[in-house]
Amino acid sequence: GVFDDGYVPVIAGLSRANPKDIEVAWNAVKGAKLPRVHTFIATSPIHMEAKLKKTPDEVVEIAVNAVKFAKSLGCDDIEFSPEDAGRSDPEFLYRVLSEVIEAGATTLNIPDTTGWNMPWEFGDLIKKLRDNVKGADKVVFSTHCQNDLGLATANSLSGAKNGARQIECTINGIGERAGNASLEEVVMALALRGATHFQGGPGTGKLYTSTNPVHIMPTSKMVSEYTGMACQ
């Protein structure tokens, strides 16, 4: 739908990188005004070897075919995540991300899946990807940070300073294990400091979101009530 102010939300369906899952995700969101399919596959050595039991070449092929398949269904807004990017070899990330852009990906989401990175490390990774991935200037870089070490918000903001223009976050920071980056923290950090403390990255160095902070408190309370999880 369209809100009174004309804002149209993107509705995304998350899917593993196989055709059946992608088709189900696309069927779920294709009725939206702005539909998106978000597909992912792991790229770290430990995940490729122990979980997927795939070679790096096989992972690249699966990733590219997943994006091509989503595009073949009629989806023009395709997000791709190299799962566990925070522990992946940067050179391998350059390769797989360059190839998915060529295949049709429009957003590259960089996850710190295990909440492993330090803020300076994660920000540096976003910068390296923007500098070394072919076609990086044609896509939006995104962050998806977990909070295992309590650094999800800090890592997300460091990613934003270094050129990420989408931050994946959750109400009250809820998520598996220690949770995800908190929407409330990210929104308010940018509302209060976004105009003055993000120089050095691309563009003007003035960052903002379209979120109205007035709605944060009631939304946070509603989520706490429905989930039974107190906001920390």
Side-chain angles (χ1 to χ4, degrees), residues 98 101-102 105 108 130 132-141:
S98 295
I101 289 174
E102 194 174 342
L108 300 182
R130 292 186 63 256
N132 291 283
V133 171
K134 287 180 196 159
D137 57 324
K138 302 188 189 87
V139 299
V140 171
F141 277 85

Side-chain angles (χ1 to χ4, degrees), residues 117-130 154-163:
N117 288 135
M118 294 291 108
W120 49 91
E121 186 181 17
F122 191 75
D124 192 47
L125 174 61
I126 298 294
K127 184 176 189 310
K128 280 188 198 164
L129 294 176
R130 292 186 63 256
N155 284 340
S156 300
L157 294 171
S158 183
K161 186 179 193 304
N162 284 280

Side-chain angles (χ1 to χ4, degrees), residues 78-145:
I78 303 167
E79 182 169 344
F80 175 78
S81 292
E83 187 187 2
D84 206 19
R87 296 190 296 177
S88 299
D89 172 17
E91 292 292 334
F92 182 59
L93 287 177
Y94 304 157
R95 177 186 168 197
V96 68
L97 293 176
S98 295
E99 295 207 24
V100 296
I101 289 174
E102 194 174 342
T106 50
T107 298
L108 300 182
N109 180 56
I110 311 304
D112 180 20
T113 303
T114 53
W116 165 265
N117 288 135
M118 294 291 108
W120 49 91
E121 186 181 17
F122 191 75
D124 192 47
L125 174 61
I126 298 294
K127 184 176 189 310
K128 280 188 198 164
L129 294 176
R130 292 186 63 256
D131 288 345
N132 291 283
V133 171
K134 287 180 196 159
D137 57 324
K138 302 188 189 87
V139 299
V140 171
F141 277 85
S142 167
T143 68
H144 181 103
C145 298

Side-chain angles (χ1 to χ4, degrees), residues 27 31 45 48 66 104 124 136 140 184 197 211:
N27 286 336
M48 288 191 289
D124 192 47
V140 171
E184 304 79 35
H197 281 70
T211 305

